[in-house]
Amino acid sequence: MCEPRYFDVRYTINPWMSGDVPVDPARALAQWQGLVETYRSLGHTVETIEPLPGLPDMVFAANGAVVVDGRVLGSRFHAVERRPETPAFEAWFKAAGFDVREPEFVCEGEGDLVPAGRVLLAGTGFRTVPAAHQEAQEYLGIPVVSLHLTDPYFYHLDTALFVLDDGRETNEANVAYYPEAFSPGSREALERLYPEAVIATREDALAFGLNSVSDGKNVVVPHGATDLTARLTERGYQPVPVDVSEFHKAGGSVKCCTQEVRTV
Ligand code: ARG
């Protein structure tokens, strides 16, 4: 995770960033610290990367890479403003002892590449390009399922879908998603893959409910996604609501702030 020391909204690269409500830096920091504490209280290890001045979106560490079984595919950002983040994330992984593959095509890490047990769900339409999906499959050696995003408010796959359970124990992964964020064909593909999925409403999705992080049991979920939270409880999950609303002004929430380092 990356402390929001330089977090701000200074350019517009998604519809959430066009609002003129200024960011409250103290509130952003307190909310981010609350998220770190939440993970630690659930027993997870949190490591941090040093934020860099002039990179207001670097707090969204999910976009820096995707890690599958200890293999790191780095990032190549669509927006020129975010491109200098790539070498910083790469340096962090190298210092931590990982090899990093630099993608040749636009590829925004876990924003669009979502490991779901036996497959990698891969979003395209706004940021990550289909050629990067192929690159991810070749480098990570995991079958890729390409999904088309069609609503600019849900510009990254991780704003429209999250993995509830990667199937490590049950051998069957499950997800929660907002169907209308996807093209008709991608929606059908998701229905076939995940007949038991938790379906979210537009309100939940707009409250960043699909930008949650699940460990298979606890689901750290943005606090405004109330219907989704109720559905998760019904399904036997333990929702852990957190308020990270300052980050919504930049189009990110819980998951965007969280890079999951999946080692073997
Ligand atoms: N302002 C950032 C951008 O548009 C937000 C990134 C959110 N991250 C995510 N994983 N969806 O690139």
Side-chain angles (χ1 to χ4, degrees):
M1 296 178 70
C2 180
E3 190 191 288
R5 202 177 304 156
Y6 307 105
F7 173 61
D8 202 354
V9 177
R10 287 209 247 122
Y11 44 80
T12 305
I13 56 172
N14 69 55
W16 303 91
M17 300 176 92
S18 46
D20 39 31
V21 199
V23 166
D24 178 337
R27 202 160 172 263
L29 180 60
Q31 291 180 344
W32 181 84
Q33 285 166 338
L35 182 59
V36 172
E37 278 321 304
T38 300
Y39 288 134
R40 291 194 170 137
S41 72
L42 294 171
H44 300 298
T45 303
V46 177
E47 296 190 42
T48 56
I49 180 172
E50 193 57 17
L52 295 176
L55 298 178
D57 273 335
M58 195 173 163
V59 63
F60 300 118
N63 303 143
V66 60
V67 189
V68 176
D69 289 347
R71 280 187 226 176
V72 183
L73 178 65
S75 52
R76 182 175 290 265
F77 285 92
H78 175 74
V80 42
E81 293 90 340
R82 294 199 66 184
R83 290 194 193 144
E85 294 178 37
T86 291
F89 286 110
E90 187 172 326
W92 186 94
F93 278 105
K94 286 189 172 158
F98 295 89
D99 284 334
V100 181
R101 159 79 176 229
E102 290 176 26
E104 269 179 61
F105 303 99
V106 168
C107 182
E108 300 203 349
E110 287 191 301
D112 279 318
L113 301 176
V114 176
R118 287 186 285 201
V119 298
L120 181 70
L121 302 177
T124 189
F126 298 97
R127 303 287 181 89
T128 301
V129 295
H133 296 180
Q134 281 317 302
E135 208 179 352
Q137 177 164 292
E138 285 307 313
Y139 180 63
L140 300 170
I142 178 172
V144 164
V145 177
S146 288
L147 299 167
H148 282 263
L149 296 162
T150 53
D151 181 332
Y153 277 93
F154 309 107
Y155 58 92
H156 269 149
L157 180 58
D158 74 357
T159 63
L161 174 148
F162 74 98
V163 175
L164 278 166
D165 188 338
D166 64 8
R168 216 171 324 168
E169 270 154 40
T170 55
N171 219 13
E172 224 170 306
N174 200 14
V175 302
Y177 67 101
Y178 170 53
E180 283 70 31
F182 296 90
S183 65
S186 296
R187 224 178 280 175
E188 250 185 275
L190 285 168
E191 281 165 25
R192 283 178 198 262
L193 278 173
Y194 306 110
E196 303 297 325
V198 172
I199 301 298
T201 63
R202 185 168 185 85
E203 289 65 39
D204 289 332
L206 289 171
F208 285 95
L210 282 328
N211 201 247
S212 295
V213 173
S214 171
D215 61 15
K217 180 168 165 258
N218 306 292
V219 183
V220 182
V221 54
H223 74 315
T226 46
D227 276 3
L228 178 66
T229 302
R231 288 178 200 187
L232 293 172
T233 306
E234 275 164 31
R235 297 289 195 98
Y237 293 96
Q238 177 68 56
V240 184
V242 293
D243 180 2
V244 288
S245 49
E246 276 314 299
F247 301 101
H248 297 183
K249 296 173 181 172
S253 191
V254 170
K255 174 58 205 170
C256 302
C257 292
T258 313
Q259 164 69 232
E260 289 171 73
V261 183
R262 300 176 180 82
T263 49
V264 196

